[in-house]
Amino acid sequence: MNRTKTNWTVTVLLILGSLLILFPLYMTIAIALKNPQELAKSVLSFPVHAHWNNFKEAIQVTHYFRSFGNSALITISSVVLIILTNSMVGYAIARNMHKRFFKFLYYYFISAMFIPFPIIMLPVVKEMSQLHLANRIGLIILYVVYRLSFNTFVYVGYLKSIPIELEEAALIDGASRWSVFWRVIFPLMKPINATIGILNALTVWNDFMLPLVLLSKPSQMTLPLVQYAFQSKFHTNFNLSFASYLLALLPMILVYIFLQKRIINGVVQGSIK
């Protein structure tokens, strides 16, 4: 009779890791459902009565549906443009790495991954202001450009695994390089496009810094940015803040619940190709 031995080291690490994730989530839910008096008595206890009005008030203060629309517009537009443009850049570099110019471009883009955003923050903001792009359109353009370095690195690595003979056969049949990319290569990039789409969607949706420095009009603010509405110099409303955090998390959690099979398949296929 075969008995599978329990790896206690891994099991303990998994339990500790799960607790590190679940405890902040429990704190967020518990505080979001309390009133200030209950919170003052005990931070850790679960609320005796759920105060759902916290969510209603948080929706009103943050203009939740307008902020949600801004986040959705910026995230969807950015991800679509990122996949369309960054994949072409990755393809051009991957198929011409033997040329000095494209090799230089590859390492030039990769080097951008090591530059922290706060260092280039002020020049970027100044440049976008002068171009009259300190708005949602400018933010989308910045995401497409700013993610180019990481996405090029991933795309080039993936494209090396696609046999070049497929393209040569299409070119012999009379297809142009443009047709080869869109009709032969782009469909084969479906797993890596799914991976790139998921990673970039999470990054853009949760980003706080770029919208903070670029968006000045309240009507254009995103969900992470409006969390500032509950904080002032002398006071922070934790109950409304945590209720608003949950509301900001909700769309991505719903996306994951309904698309988790596709998301996991996309990431797995992209990583093992």
Side-chain angles (χ1 to χ4, degrees):
M1 182 178 177
N2 292 328
R3 288 186 176 181
T4 305
K5 289 185 178 179
T6 303
N7 189 331
W8 288 108
T9 304
V10 175
T11 304
V12 170
L13 288 174
L14 282 174
I15 293 172
L16 289 175
S18 301
L19 288 175
L20 284 173
I21 296 171
L22 290 175
F23 181 70
L25 186 61
Y26 163 77
M27 289 284 291
T28 306
I29 296 172
I31 294 174
L33 293 174
K34 290 178 181 176
N35 59 18
Q37 290 73 29
E38 283 183 278
L39 180 61
K41 287 180 182 177
S42 173
V43 176
L44 296 177
S45 64
F46 202 76
V48 180
H49 302 290
H51 296 273
W52 298 107
N53 279 338
N54 289 339
F55 293 92
K56 185 179 177 181
E57 193 171 344
I59 288 173
Q60 292 173 345
V61 172
T62 60
H63 300 282
Y64 177 79
F65 295 105
R66 185 181 68 189
S67 307
F68 171 80
N70 288 332
S71 288
L73 173 70
I74 291 168
T75 303
I76 293 171
S77 303
S78 300
V79 170
V80 170
L81 289 174
I82 282 171
I83 291 175
L84 292 178
T85 59
N86 290 193
S87 62
M88 286 193 282
V89 174
Y91 173 70
I93 292 176
R95 291 296 182 256
N96 295 283
M97 276 292 276
H98 56 284
K99 297 178 181 177
R100 189 173 297 177
F101 174 69
F102 286 93
K103 184 175 284 188
F104 167 76
L105 275 183
Y106 176 70
Y107 289 110
Y108 176 70
F109 288 143
I110 298 302
S111 64
M113 286 196 295
F114 301 98
I115 301 175
F117 177 71
I119 292 177
I120 60 171
M121 182 172 65
L122 289 179
V124 167
V125 172
K126 184 70 175 173
E127 182 181 356
M128 298 305 283
S129 297
Q130 289 186 337
L131 294 172
H132 304 288
L133 286 172
N135 49 38
R136 288 175 295 190
I137 296 174
L139 190 59
I140 292 168
I141 293 172
L142 277 182
Y143 280 130
V144 174
V145 176
Y146 194 64
R147 299 294 298 172
L148 181 62
S149 56
F150 173 77
N151 295 337
T152 300
F153 176 72
V154 176
Y155 273 127
V156 170
Y158 182 85
L159 283 161
K160 286 179 180 175
S161 66
I162 298 179
I164 200 168
E165 288 78 10
L166 293 173
E167 301 169 47
E168 292 174 345
L171 289 170
I172 291 171
D173 288 340
S176 64
R177 182 63 69 178
W178 183 259
S179 299
V180 168
F181 176 74
W182 290 112
R183 295 184 180 181
V184 179
I185 300 301
F186 197 74
L188 293 173
M189 294 168 69
K190 192 175 177 181
I192 198 64
N193 281 335
T195 305
I196 291 288
I198 293 161
L199 294 176
N200 284 282
L202 289 172
T203 301
V204 175
W205 182 272
N206 294 319
D207 188 32
F208 177 80
M209 187 65 78
L210 261 178
L212 176 67
V213 297
L214 206 65
L215 301 178
S216 55
K217 294 180 179 177
S219 61
Q220 296 187 351
M221 289 186 175
T222 59
L223 275 178
L225 205 54
V226 294
Q227 307 308 318
Y228 252 157
F230 305 104
Q231 297 182 14
S232 65
K233 188 174 181 180
F234 303 105
H235 175 70
T236 299
N237 191 325
F238 289 104
N239 303 104
L240 293 187
S241 297
F242 281 74
S244 184
Y245 297 158
L246 285 177
L247 288 170
L249 279 172
L250 185 62
M252 294 308 283
I253 291 174
L254 290 176
V255 168
Y256 179 76
I257 289 173
F258 287 110
L259 299 176
Q260 65 173 297
K261 185 180 286 185
R262 291 176 182 271
I263 291 171
I264 293 171
N265 283 341
V267 173
V268 170
Q269 288 183 40
S271 62
I272 64 175
K273 180 70 179 178

